Amino acid sequence: MPATITHPEAHTGRRDTLAQLRLALREQQVVLDSAGVGIVFIKHRQVIRCNQRFAQMYGHAEAADILGSASMSLYPDQAAFHALGEAAYPVMIRGLAHKSEVLMKRRDGQLFWTHLTGKLVNPADTDEGSIWIVDDISEQKAAHAQLQSVLTEQSLILDNAMVGIVFLRHRTVTRCNRSFEELLGYDAGELHGSSSRRWYMTEQNWLDARQQCYAPLAAGLAYEGEMLLRRKDGSPIHCEVRAKAIDPTDLSQGSIWISMDITARKKAENELLQARADLEELVELRTQELSRTVLALEKKVVEQKEAEAHIQRLAHFDPLTGLPNRLLLNDRCNHALSVAQRGHQPVALIFLDLDHFKNINDSLGHRVGDEVLVELATRLKSTVREQDTVSRLGGDEFILLLPDTDATGAAHVAQKLLHAALLPIQIEQHELTVTPSIGIALYPKDGSDLETLSKCADAAMYRAKGDGRNSYRFFTPEIQAYSERTLLLDNALRRALERQQLELYYQPQISMETGQTVGAEALLRWTHPELGAVSPVEFIPIAESSGLMLPIGEWVLRTALAQLAQWIECGMTPITMAVNLSAVQFRHAELPQLITRILADSALAPELLELELTESAAMTHPLEAMAVMNDLHQRGVRMSIDDFGTGYSSLSYLKRFQVYKLKIDQSFVRDITEDPDDKAIVGAIISMASSLGLKTIAEGVETEGQLAFLRARGCNEAQGYHFSRPMPALAFERFVQDQVAGSGAHRQP
Ligand code: C2E
Ligand code: MG
Ligand code: MG
C-alpha cells in the first residue's frame, strides 16, 4: 500500500478546497479502516493518525485512543526503539522503504512480532513525518516455530528410529534416515537421489513392487508386506515394509516407507517352521512306529491267543487224531456220571486196543502206523452217537464213553466197532486190516468213577485178547478175580528177586545117540510164602509187562551159567545149558554184550550156552531178530527155537537165522504115537531141520513110544518127564552122576 495519501482535487477553491479536504480525509479514513494491516502516520515521534487495525493491534478500542501517543511506547523498550531508528532512517532518507521484522509491545505490555514497512513522507525533510505499515505476524511466527519444532522432532525421530525410513518421490530418495542406509549397508547420504531400484534384487522385483504397493497407496491405504531386498554388497535381506502416500490424491507428492530388517526374525521363523516340520515328521515317524508296534502287539496277542488255544487243544486233545485225551475224557466222564446218577441211567465205557498194532509200526514204520490210527479214529467217531466221546489214551488204546447206554446197547456198539475196523485201510501201496479187542464196563454195576470203570474195561479187553482177539468181552467177576490176581502177582514179583524167592530147576536133555545127558534146560521157579509155587506160565507174562523181565532174565542167565561152571568144576562132563529168553530180553539192545559179560564172569566157553527163543519172539521182527542172532552167533552162542511148530515160521527166514537147534513143541509130541497129523508134522520138522543143517530136540517126551518114534525119525535129542521132571541143581547133579555110573544101562534110549 502506498504510504503517501494524496487527493486529485486538492488545489481547487478554498471552500471547495476545505470541503474537498474533508472528503479526502474521510475517504482516506475509509481506506485506512478497511485495510487488513495496521497503518500509522508518525510525526515528531508521535502517532498523528492511524487506522482501526493499528489501534487494535496495540490493544486500543478506537484509533482516537492512541493518537498523540509517543511512538516509543509502541516498542518494548528504548533500546529497541533506537535500534529500529538507526536501521530504518539511513534507508528511508534515501527515499526507500525500510522493511524489517520487529518485536512490538501492546498496551498491556504483551510483546508481539510485526512486519514493518516504513517510508518518509518527504525523504528530504524528516520533519514531515513517516508512514508505517505494520503487520502482526506473531501467529505466523508461532506457526513457523511450531513447524520448526515439528521438523526438528521429525528429524530426531528419523535419525534415531530403529527402523529404516525413506521418503520417495517418483521412486527416488528425497530423504532417508541413517538406519535405512545402515540397513542396506550404505554410507551416510549415499542413497540421496538414488532410485529405489538399487535395493531390489532384480528389475522384475522392482517393477512388481510398484504394481503391488502403489495401488493401495493411491487408495489412501497403507501398504504392508514382506520383501526380499538387496544390500549394497548384493546380499539378500528380508524386510517388513510399510508405506503410505504423503498425499494419496497426488502420488507425485511422494511416499514414506518404513523398513525393518526381519532376516533374524525370518530365520527364527524358518527355524521354527523347520523345527515344527521336524517335530511333525518325528511325530509322524513315532506315530508310524507306534502303529507298527500296536500292530505287532496285536499280532502278538493273536499269536498268544492261538498259542493258548493250541495249548488248550494240546491239553485236551490228542495231537495225532484230534480226539479228546484222557484229561478231557475225565471231564466228560465226570459229567456223564453225575448226569447218569441223577437220572438213574446207565453208562457204558469201552476200552479198545488194536491187535498186534506194534507189528504195523515195526514193519511199516511209525508214519503208516499213525495213519492207521488216524483212520481208525475217524471210523470210531462215525460209528458212535453225537453225545458219545471217543478218546485216545496213547498208542493204540482208545476209550469210548457212551452215556445212557446199557449192556445191550454197548454190545451193539462193540459189534459195530469190530465191523468198522474190519474194512481194509489203504495206505500208500499197503492194504492193511486191523482188528481190535474190546472190553466193556458198565456204570453203575462195575464202578462209579472213570478209574474203576476203565480198569474193568481194560481187564475185559485183556480177556478178549486172551480169548483169541478181534472180539469184545464184558467185565465179569471172573475177570475181576483174574485181574486182581495179576495185580497181586505183579506186586509180589517186584520183591521176589531180593527176597530170594526165585530158584532155577534143571531138566536134562538126552542125546538119542548115546542116551547120555548132553544138556540142561534152566526153568524158573517162584515160591511165594503165601501164594505158594507160581507157574512161570503165569508170572513170566506179568514180568514182561511190568518191566521186571530184564532183571529176572539176567538173574536166570547168571545163576544158570554159574551153576554149570560149578558142575564142571566138580568134575561133570561139560554139557550145554539151555536158558529161555523172553522176547523182551531179546529185543533189548544190550543183550549180546550182557551175554558175553556173563559168560566171561562164569569163565565158560560160549558154545555151552544155548538160548531158547520162542518162535513168535523170533518171527515178529525177523530182520531185527536176524541181526541179533548174527551178533550172538558171532560171539559163539548157540540158539534154539522153542515151541517150534506153534508159530508160523517162514522157512526162508529159518535158513537165514543163525539157529542151531529146533525144539519141537510138546503139543505135537503128546499125541505122536496116535495122531497121524502130529506124526506127519513132527516127521516133517525133523527132515526139514536136517536138510537145513539144524539139530532137533523134542520136548515133553513122556513115553517110550514117543521116544521110539522120534528116534526112528532121526530126532537128535529128547527132553521130558520120561527122563526126568525139572529138578533142583543138586538133584540134577545126582541124576547125571547116576547116569554116568549106570553108564546109560537103565535108561538106554
Ligand atoms: P518151555 O521153555 O517150553 O519149557 C518146557 C515146559 O514143559 C516146562 O514147564 C517144563 O516143566 C514142561 N515139561 C517138560 N517136560 C515135560 C513133559 O514131559 N510133559 C509136560 N506136560 N511138561 C513138560 P515150566 O517149567 O512150567 O515152564 C513153562 C514155560 O515157562 C517154559 O516153557 C518157558 O516158556 C517159560 N519159562 C520157564 N522158565 C523160564 C525162564 O527162566 N525164562 C523165560 N523167559 N521163560 C521161562
Ligand atoms: Mg524152553
Ligand atoms: Mg517149550
Side-chain angles (χ1 to χ4, degrees), residues 75 80-100 102 116-120 123 126 130-132:
Y75 292 86
F81 175 68
H82 289 302
L84 178 79
E86 273 161 32
Y89 278 87
V91 177
M92 292 197 294
I93 53 172
R94 284 193 284 137
L96 298 172
H98 165 77
K99 291 182 183 200
S100 65
V102 178
L116 284 187
T117 307
K119 205 165 178 187
L120 286 173
T126 55
S130 56
I131 288 173
W132 299 83

Side-chain angles (χ1 to χ4, degrees), residues 56 107 112 148 157 160 185 190 210 214 333 414 422 441 463 546 602 625 663 701 708 714 735 739 742:
Q56 284 168 349
R107 190 155 75 117
F112 67 103
Q148 274 308 310
I157 291 169
N160 294 294
E190 202 181 343
R210 184 173 56 193
Y214 283 89
C333 192
L422 221 70
R463 175 49 56 93
S546 66
S602 59
K663 207 167 178 187
V701 178
F735 175 84
Q739 198 179 45

